[in-house]
Amino acid sequence: MANIEKKPVKIVETVLRDAHQSLIATRMTTDQMLPIVDKMDQVGYHAVECWGGATFDASLRFLKEDPWDRLRKLRAGFKHTKLQMLFRGQNILGYNHYADDVVEYFVQKSIANGIDIIRIFDCLNDIRNLQTAVKAANKENGHAQVALSYTLGDAYTLDYWKEIAKEIEDMGANSLCIKDMAGLLTPYAAEELVTALKESVKLPIDLHTHYTSGVASMTYLKAVEAGCDMIDTAMSPFALGTSQPATEVMVETFSGTRYDTGLNKEALAEIAEYFRPLREEALASGLMNTKVLGVDINTLRYQVPGGMLSNLVSQLKEAHAEDKYYDVLQEIPRVRKDFGEPPLVTPSSQIVGTQAVLNVLMGQRYKMFTKESKKLLMGEFGQTVKPFNAEVQKKAIGNAKPITCRPADLIEPQLQKLEAEMSQWKKQDEDVLTYALFPQVAKEFFEYREAQTTGIDPHKADKLNRAYPV
């Protein structure tokens, strides 16, 4: 038999970011991460995703930690491994669009503090919202990976994915990620998609998915066989459910084949041992809910991400209308169609879901619009793949003229103004960025930090925190 050319699949480890974001509401602390960093550094990972996404907000809001400090500590520990973050395009790590000067400065500081790979995505796949971040990453000699928010629908044909991938390559991205945040990508569809993208672009392709619908490991297998270069996995104690497939399982799957990862299995076993008690602790305290550990095939039936489903349940519970669950599930695709068929990922998933709940509870569609629905229909988040339902849009925004340009073109530079507003708390350059994204939460954190350094009784510091409700 002829020698088959080796093509080791690269592994991106998510245990320090998406895995705990998906399973324990992003509550892993820096102190819980640091003791195992040296061992993780010996594995041979392509990269460790450890920052961005919801970690920034959660560090400040719930853990009273400086996210920049976490990044610097992780960078000091990982001497041989690339560090990766998730970045929401023009939204950075927040929920609104920011001016270009803030986006550029955030990218610059992320790379300066230790990030190698910035994974940049937009909730509408409006690539105009990615340009500033990609350019900034290129300028800082970082690796700009652009992620396509994967979804299903009439507009999302293979040609659509091929064309948008080509535009991303032309934009200057260094690699492409298929970001399947809801676990909708089935094995043979993945094979077809990766094959098509490989024909369309020369960029390395990374596949990111979640185990929510139960097919993710098989999806990875077919994707890798079709030429996918990298896959995102999580150490087994924080894998499966709404997280990623388990690292050790995928390493074992490809062991001895042309796709053999070459990762250090002994080191992986020790890392799993380290995280196991953290998982037990999270289960015992109720931080890890067993609901997020199962398989939810409704994800494929209704194309709704797992996190969004649990959100709907709690909204209906509050309204004493749990019997309306299936009505809402049927209303979601209708609202999504009216709203231009966007992918359902932060913040579009929350906008579509909440509007569907409102429509059902009111007993009449679009009797009332949320503030966010109006913003979306106004074009404040960018352009959707399909046009909005003109009637619904008119009802929401009246005679207002919708935005058709790149939304950030309408935002004046913000950095100087932000610097002036928060100068009294500034201890490091990065503080202005923390304040830019979450002004109220940042202010509360700066007050807490001040109290800690001046040696005020921590109970008084806690009181101080409560004085600034989020």
PDB file of all heavy atoms in Angstrom, residues 318-332:
ATOM      1  N   GLU A 318     -41.527  33.136  34.295  1.00  0.00           N
ATOM      2  CA  GLU A 318     -41.777  34.421  34.946  1.00  0.00           C
ATOM      3  C   GLU A 318     -43.159  34.954  34.622  1.00  0.00           C
ATOM      4  O   GLU A 318     -43.809  35.601  35.432  1.00  0.00           O
ATOM      5  CB  GLU A 318     -40.726  35.443  34.479  1.00  0.00           C
ATOM      6  CG  GLU A 318     -39.616  35.649  35.490  1.00  0.00           C
ATOM      7  CD  GLU A 318     -38.523  36.555  34.941  1.00  0.00           C
ATOM      8  OE1 GLU A 318     -38.853  37.681  34.528  1.00  0.00           O
ATOM      9  OE2 GLU A 318     -37.357  36.118  34.899  1.00  0.00           O
ATOM     10  N   ALA A 319     -43.602  34.683  33.403  1.00  0.00           N
ATOM     11  CA  ALA A 319     -44.912  35.193  32.965  1.00  0.00           C
ATOM     12  C   ALA A 319     -46.040  34.209  33.278  1.00  0.00           C
ATOM     13  O   ALA A 319     -47.183  34.410  32.854  1.00  0.00           O
ATOM     14  CB  ALA A 319     -44.864  35.461  31.461  1.00  0.00           C
ATOM     15  N   HIS A 320     -45.708  33.133  34.031  1.00  0.00           N
ATOM     16  CA  HIS A 320     -46.683  32.072  34.331  1.00  0.00           C
ATOM     17  C   HIS A 320     -47.362  31.574  33.062  1.00  0.00           C
ATOM     18  O   HIS A 320     -48.579  31.424  32.996  1.00  0.00           O
ATOM     19  CB  HIS A 320     -47.739  32.554  35.348  1.00  0.00           C
ATOM     20  CG  HIS A 320     -47.138  33.111  36.592  1.00  0.00           C
ATOM     21  ND1 HIS A 320     -46.479  32.307  37.505  1.00  0.00           N
ATOM     22  CD2 HIS A 320     -47.052  34.384  37.066  1.00  0.00           C
ATOM     23  CE1 HIS A 320     -46.020  33.064  38.496  1.00  0.00           C
ATOM     24  NE2 HIS A 320     -46.335  34.323  38.250  1.00  0.00           N
ATOM     25  N   ALA A 321     -46.550  31.342  32.032  1.00  0.00           N
ATOM     26  CA  ALA A 321     -47.113  30.918  30.743  1.00  0.00           C
ATOM     27  C   ALA A 321     -46.302  29.770  30.148  1.00  0.00           C
ATOM     28  O   ALA A 321     -46.050  29.720  28.956  1.00  0.00           O
ATOM     29  CB  ALA A 321     -47.143  32.108  29.785  1.00  0.00           C
ATOM     30  N   GLU A 322     -45.888  28.833  31.033  1.00  0.00           N
ATOM     31  CA  GLU A 322     -45.055  27.724  30.551  1.00  0.00           C
ATOM     32  C   GLU A 322     -45.770  26.850  29.525  1.00  0.00           C
ATOM     33  O   GLU A 322     -45.138  26.183  28.709  1.00  0.00           O
ATOM     34  CB  GLU A 322     -44.575  26.876  31.733  1.00  0.00           C
ATOM     35  CG  GLU A 322     -43.504  27.592  32.548  1.00  0.00           C
ATOM     36  CD  GLU A 322     -43.369  27.040  33.954  1.00  0.00           C
ATOM     37  OE1 GLU A 322     -44.199  27.398  34.816  1.00  0.00           O
ATOM     38  OE2 GLU A 322     -42.441  26.269  34.164  1.00  0.00           O
ATOM     39  N   ASP A 323     -47.105  26.875  29.558  1.00  0.00           N
ATOM     40  CA  ASP A 323     -47.876  26.076  28.585  1.00  0.00           C
ATOM     41  C   ASP A 323     -47.734  26.610  27.152  1.00  0.00           C
ATOM     42  O   ASP A 323     -48.136  25.971  26.194  1.00  0.00           O
ATOM     43  CB  ASP A 323     -49.364  26.055  28.984  1.00  0.00           C
ATOM     44  CG  ASP A 323     -49.949  27.461  29.074  1.00  0.00           C
ATOM     45  OD1 ASP A 323     -49.228  28.387  29.531  1.00  0.00           O
ATOM     46  OD2 ASP A 323     -51.124  27.652  28.684  1.00  0.00           O
ATOM     47  N   LYS A 324     -47.143  27.806  27.032  1.00  0.00           N
ATOM     48  CA  LYS A 324     -47.004  28.424  25.692  1.00  0.00           C
ATOM     49  C   LYS A 324     -45.646  28.079  25.029  1.00  0.00           C
ATOM     50  O   LYS A 324     -45.296  28.626  23.993  1.00  0.00           O
ATOM     51  CB  LYS A 324     -47.108  29.961  25.807  1.00  0.00           C
ATOM     52  CG  LYS A 324     -48.445  30.453  26.343  1.00  0.00           C
ATOM     53  CD  LYS A 324     -49.471  30.555  25.227  1.00  0.00           C
ATOM     54  CE  LYS A 324     -50.685  31.343  25.623  1.00  0.00           C
ATOM     55  NZ  LYS A 324     -51.712  30.541  26.259  1.00  0.00           N
ATOM     56  N   TYR A 325     -44.885  27.157  25.645  1.00  0.00           N
ATOM     57  CA  TYR A 325     -43.528  26.833  25.174  1.00  0.00           C
ATOM     58  C   TYR A 325     -43.499  26.458  23.681  1.00  0.00           C
ATOM     59  O   TYR A 325     -42.733  27.014  22.894  1.00  0.00           O
ATOM     60  CB  TYR A 325     -42.963  25.691  26.033  1.00  0.00           C
ATOM     61  CG  TYR A 325     -41.577  25.229  25.662  1.00  0.00           C
ATOM     62  CD1 TYR A 325     -40.475  26.065  25.810  1.00  0.00           C
ATOM     63  CD2 TYR A 325     -41.357  23.938  25.176  1.00  0.00           C
ATOM     64  CE1 TYR A 325     -39.186  25.635  25.498  1.00  0.00           C
ATOM     65  CE2 TYR A 325     -40.072  23.502  24.859  1.00  0.00           C
ATOM     66  CZ  TYR A 325     -38.999  24.345  25.017  1.00  0.00           C
ATOM     67  OH  TYR A 325     -37.735  23.922  24.697  1.00  0.00           O
ATOM     68  N   TYR A 326     -44.375  25.525  23.301  1.00  0.00           N
ATOM     69  CA  TYR A 326     -44.333  25.071  21.896  1.00  0.00           C
ATOM     70  C   TYR A 326     -44.859  26.134  20.931  1.00  0.00           C
ATOM     71  O   TYR A 326     -44.424  26.220  19.789  1.00  0.00           O
ATOM     72  CB  TYR A 326     -45.055  23.723  21.733  1.00  0.00           C
ATOM     73  CG  TYR A 326     -44.209  22.616  22.310  1.00  0.00           C
ATOM     74  CD1 TYR A 326     -44.459  22.104  23.580  1.00  0.00           C
ATOM     75  CD2 TYR A 326     -43.094  22.134  21.607  1.00  0.00           C
ATOM     76  CE1 TYR A 326     -43.635  21.131  24.134  1.00  0.00           C
ATOM     77  CE2 TYR A 326     -42.269  21.161  22.149  1.00  0.00           C
ATOM     78  CZ  TYR A 326     -42.543  20.662  23.409  1.00  0.00           C
ATOM     79  OH  TYR A 326     -41.711  19.712  23.951  1.00  0.00           O
ATOM     80  N   ASP A 327     -45.776  26.979  21.425  1.00  0.00           N
ATOM     81  CA  ASP A 327     -46.248  28.104  20.591  1.00  0.00           C
ATOM     82  C   ASP A 327     -45.071  29.032  20.282  1.00  0.00           C
ATOM     83  O   ASP A 327     -44.908  29.503  19.152  1.00  0.00           O
ATOM     84  CB  ASP A 327     -47.344  28.912  21.317  1.00  0.00           C
ATOM     85  CG  ASP A 327     -48.594  28.079  21.563  1.00  0.00           C
ATOM     86  OD1 ASP A 327     -48.755  27.067  20.860  1.00  0.00           O
ATOM     87  OD2 ASP A 327     -49.386  28.431  22.458  1.00  0.00           O
ATOM     88  N   VAL A 328     -44.250  29.276  21.306  1.00  0.00           N
ATOM     89  CA  VAL A 328     -43.088  30.161  21.118  1.00  0.00           C
ATOM     90  C   VAL A 328     -42.082  29.515  20.157  1.00  0.00           C
ATOM     91  O   VAL A 328     -41.557  30.168  19.262  1.00  0.00           O
ATOM     92  CB  VAL A 328     -42.418  30.513  22.465  1.00  0.00           C
ATOM     93  CG1 VAL A 328     -41.112  31.252  22.244  1.00  0.00           C
ATOM     94  CG2 VAL A 328     -43.354  31.373  23.314  1.00  0.00           C
ATOM     95  N   LEU A 329     -41.852  28.201  20.338  1.00  0.00           N
ATOM     96  CA  LEU A 329     -40.902  27.514  19.439  1.00  0.00           C
ATOM     97  C   LEU A 329     -41.354  27.607  17.975  1.00  0.00           C
ATOM     98  O   LEU A 329     -40.541  27.696  17.069  1.00  0.00           O
ATOM     99  CB  LEU A 329     -40.751  26.043  19.845  1.00  0.00           C
ATOM    100  CG  LEU A 329     -39.847  25.771  21.045  1.00  0.00           C
ATOM    101  CD1 LEU A 329     -39.757  24.279  21.327  1.00  0.00           C
ATOM    102  CD2 LEU A 329     -38.442  26.329  20.849  1.00  0.00           C
ATOM    103  N   GLN A 330     -42.665  27.588  17.767  1.00  0.00           N
ATOM    104  CA  GLN A 330     -43.156  27.707  16.386  1.00  0.00           C
ATOM    105  C   GLN A 330     -43.113  29.151  15.892  1.00  0.00           C
ATOM    106  O   GLN A 330     -42.997  29.402  14.700  1.00  0.00           O
ATOM    107  CB  GLN A 330     -44.583  27.149  16.298  1.00  0.00           C
ATOM    108  CG  GLN A 330     -44.569  25.627  16.239  1.00  0.00           C
ATOM    109  CD  GLN A 330     -45.872  24.996  16.694  1.00  0.00           C
ATOM    110  OE1 GLN A 330     -46.827  25.683  17.028  1.00  0.00           O
ATOM    111  NE2 GLN A 330     -45.909  23.680  16.726  1.00  0.00           N
ATOM    112  N   GLU A 331     -43.184  30.095  16.828  1.00  0.00           N
ATOM    113  CA  GLU A 331     -43.163  31.513  16.458  1.00  0.00           C
ATOM    114  C   GLU A 331     -41.745  31.989  16.114  1.00  0.00           C
ATOM    115  O   GLU A 331     -41.570  32.886  15.283  1.00  0.00           O
ATOM    116  CB  GLU A 331     -43.758  32.344  17.610  1.00  0.00           C
ATOM    117  CG  GLU A 331     -43.769  33.851  17.415  1.00  0.00           C
ATOM    118  CD  GLU A 331     -44.617  34.351  16.248  1.00  0.00           C
ATOM    119  OE1 GLU A 331     -45.332  33.543  15.591  1.00  0.00           O
ATOM    120  OE2 GLU A 331     -44.568  35.564  15.966  1.00  0.00           O
ATOM    121  N   ILE A 332     -40.719  31.385  16.742  1.00  0.00           N
ATOM    122  CA  ILE A 332     -39.328  31.831  16.512  1.00  0.00           C
ATOM    123  C   ILE A 332     -38.948  31.843  15.027  1.00  0.00           C
ATOM    124  O   ILE A 332     -38.475  32.867  14.525  1.00  0.00           O
ATOM    125  CB  ILE A 332     -38.327  31.001  17.364  1.00  0.00           C
ATOM    126  CG1 ILE A 332     -38.438  31.450  18.823  1.00  0.00           C
ATOM    127  CG2 ILE A 332     -36.886  31.185  16.875  1.00  0.00           C
ATOM    128  CD1 ILE A 332     -37.676  30.578  19.803  1.00  0.00           C
TER     129      ILE A 332
END
